[in-house]
């Protein structure tokens, strides 16, 4: 999570924003315990504000089409055969482009790159809360007792003998056990080299690429013209659209959310492309006069970020089993964590947190009861 404050008193989450599966989210009580305000208002995407361009009848029709699509996916997953999720879109359904747009936000990728089994394995509690001061700020506070060393990438992990030797940009160090928790593209691209090599880990990481989810934040000089906690889609007939959150917490800004190929393409166009696209769509949906009332506050570019290389993982078709492969320890000394290793809360902050607790318990157990390597 990463909370930024592009203007004083206006915290926004450039990274994860929602306490998903909130009633079972391990972070929710911890965050409240630190004094942060957890807002339980129902998610904005459940309250459409664009009835002129997306009528109530069309909204119902879209909801029914999406529910029917998910039911087909669930039935397919029950067979145990891992297929391309897009195979279960109803041919020629008018809502397929918007269903795919939802996937681009939800999975960070369109359904032609999503595993049926993986999609069905995600544990969605359907309850989503927010942190008024910022989810990223709350996570940073929870981690404040730690003293991380930044800008010190590990280049080699030599686990050929005990202790394990790590070669970093600032020199070498040794450890009895190592927890590896890095984005899957780092492992798939072998930015960290293991000795001996771990080809199964590299292959599993490649099967769990990070989707792309980006945001643009637009300040409003005349916020009262828009509803508090409103929501609209830029378009309902195209996958190349953003989702717009109007005046979150009643604050004077719009959050535009992009995913999948659209987010990647706009990142590739350079700084300002996300915001320009958003403003054009908002003008088409709300009227050209809004162009005079918005100012760009910030944009994200997670694919280009060298430490992230993307947003959150999805399993490619045929690769749902890669999460368990990636999570498995090696020789009782290398342990793997991160949202991509969680069996059901992947793509979330609380999934990453739970995986870290799991890996730490495994490592502590191994250190307390060392066994000879086979």
């Amino acid at each position: 999570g990463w909370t930024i404050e592009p203007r004083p008193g206006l915290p926004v989450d450039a990274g994860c924003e929602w306490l998903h599966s909130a009633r079972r989210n391990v972070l929710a009580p911890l965050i409240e315990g630190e004094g942060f305000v957890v807002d339980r208002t129902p998610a904005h995407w459940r309250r459409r504000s664009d009835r002129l361009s997306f009528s109530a009848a069309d909204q119902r029709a879209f909801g029914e089409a999406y529910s029917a699509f998910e039911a087909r996916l669930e039935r397919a997953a029950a067979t145990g055969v891992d297929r391309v999720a897009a195979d279960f879109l109803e041919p020629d359904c008018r809502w397929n482009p918007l269903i795919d747009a939802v996937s681009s936000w939800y999975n960070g990728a369109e359904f032609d790159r999503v595993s049926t089994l993986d999609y069905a394995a995600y544990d969605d509690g359907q309850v989503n809360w927010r942190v008024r001061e910022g989810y990223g700020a709350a996570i940073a506070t929870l981690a404040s007792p730690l003293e991380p060393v930044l800008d010190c990438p590990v280049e080699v992990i030599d686990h050929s003998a005990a202790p394990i030797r790590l070669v970093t940009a600032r020199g070498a160090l040794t450890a009895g056990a190592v927890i590896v928790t890095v984005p899957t593209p780092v492992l798939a691209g072998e930015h960290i080299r293991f000795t001996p090599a771990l080809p199964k880990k590299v292959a599993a990481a490649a099967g769990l690429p990070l989707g792309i989810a980006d945001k643009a934040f637009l300040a409003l000089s005349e916020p009262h013209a828009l509803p508090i906690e409103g929501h609209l889609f830029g378009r309902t007939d195209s996958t190349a659209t953003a989702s717009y959150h109007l005046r979150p917490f009643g604050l004077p800004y719009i959050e535009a959310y992009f995913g999948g190929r659209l987010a990647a393409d706009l990142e590739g166009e350079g700084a300002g492309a996300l915001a320009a696209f958003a403003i054009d769509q908002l003008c088409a949906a709300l009227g050209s006069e809004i162009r005079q009332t918005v100012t760009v506050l910030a944009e994200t570019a997670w694919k280009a970020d060298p430490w992230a290389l993307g947003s959150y993982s999805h399993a490619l078709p045929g690769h749902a089993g890669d999460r368990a492969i990636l999570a498995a320890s090696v020789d009782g000394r290398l342990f793997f964590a991160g949202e991509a290793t969680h069996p059901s809360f992947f793509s979330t902050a609380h999934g990453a947190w739970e995986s870290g607790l799991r890996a730490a318990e495994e490592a502590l157990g191994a250190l307390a009861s060392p066994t000879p390597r086979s």
Side-chain angles (χ1 to χ4, degrees):
W2 183 31
T3 301
I4 60 176
E5 196 166 314
R7 286 186 180 176
L10 190 65
V12 298
D13 276 310
C16 55
E17 179 177 359
W18 293 88
L19 287 154
H20 295 299
S21 301
R23 292 196 176 97
R24 291 177 283 125
N25 188 314
V26 66
L27 293 174
L30 299 178
I31 288 171
E32 285 194 309
E34 291 291 338
F36 287 85
V37 177
V38 173
D39 184 271
R40 290 167 168 77
T41 304
H44 63 281
W45 58 81
R46 298 188 183 280
R47 299 185 308 282
R48 303 282 186 255
S49 301
D50 51 345
R51 293 199 173 196
L52 290 178
S53 59
F54 194 24
S55 69
D58 278 351
Q59 290 178 33
R60 285 193 298 272
F62 167 66
E64 290 168 0
Y66 198 96
S67 295
F69 167 68
E70 286 199 312
R72 291 191 294 272
L73 282 183
E74 292 288 345
R75 289 194 296 271
T79 69
V81 178
D82 198 358
R83 293 179 56 184
V84 179
D87 287 352
F88 300 94
L89 291 167
E90 182 181 354
D92 301 320
C93 175
R94 66 174 289 202
W95 300 114
N96 285 350
L98 188 55
I99 290 172
D100 227 11
V102 172
S103 179
S104 78
W105 310 318
Y106 189 83
N107 299 299
E110 292 77 9
F111 276 122
D112 64 346
R113 289 180 55 80
V114 173
S115 150
T116 303
L117 293 184
D118 196 60
Y119 185 84
Y122 178 70
D123 186 356
D124 189 347
Q126 300 293 326
V127 177
N128 304 280
W129 299 338
R130 285 174 296 163
V131 183
R132 183 170 290 273
E133 301 88 346
Y135 199 176
I139 291 174
T141 297
L142 293 177
S144 60
L146 304 176
E147 296 182 6
V149 177
L150 304 178
D151 196 21
C152 183
V154 174
E155 298 163 351
V156 179
I157 298 177
D158 184 347
H159 59 109
S160 61
I164 299 169
R165 184 170 182 269
L166 297 93
V167 179
T168 81
R170 299 189 187 183
L173 64 155
T174 60
V178 172
I179 297 174
V180 180
T181 176
V182 295
T184 54
V186 172
L187 295 177
E190 298 189 80
H191 299 179
I192 299 174
R193 182 163 55 86
F194 292 91
T195 305
L198 298 177
K200 290 183 180 179
K201 295 292 186 185
V202 173
L208 301 167
L210 296 191
I212 311 300
D214 278 318
K215 301 178 184 179
F217 302 95
L218 307 172
L220 291 164
S221 62
E222 299 178 12
H224 299 294
L226 296 176
I228 292 174
E229 301 288 0
H231 174 267
L232 60 85
F233 296 131
R235 294 182 63 170
T236 61
D237 60 352
S238 172
T239 301
T241 184
S243 174
Y244 297 92
H245 189 178
L246 312 177
R247 299 180 64 192
F249 298 116
L251 296 172
Y253 76 97
I254 296 172
E255 177 184 296
Y257 197 85
F258 304 80
R261 294 183 177 94
L262 175 62
D265 289 346
L266 291 173
E267 270 202 41
E269 292 181 20
L274 289 162
F277 184 96
I279 292 169
D280 285 346
Q281 281 207 324
L282 289 168
C283 286
L286 301 173
S288 60
E289 61 274 10
I290 196 170
R291 190 180 299 274
Q292 309 305 317
T293 72
V294 297
T295 305
V296 180
L297 291 171
E299 293 179 325
T300 66
W302 289 112
K303 182 180 180 182
D305 187 300
W307 303 107
L309 301 176
S311 300
Y312 37 78
S313 69
H314 62 280
L316 295 174
H319 289 270
D322 286 349
R323 296 198 187 277
I325 295 171
L326 191 61
S329 62
V330 175
D331 292 334
R333 297 189 302 142
L334 293 181
F335 304 90
F336 292 79
E339 55 84 13
T341 70
H342 200 289
S344 58
F345 284 148
F346 45 84
S347 77
T348 68
H350 65 285
W353 186 278
E354 286 191 4
S355 77
L357 294 177
R358 183 261 306 155
E361 290 172 355
E362 291 174 347
L364 290 172
L367 291 172
S369 305
T371 57
R373 294 180 68 202
S374 58

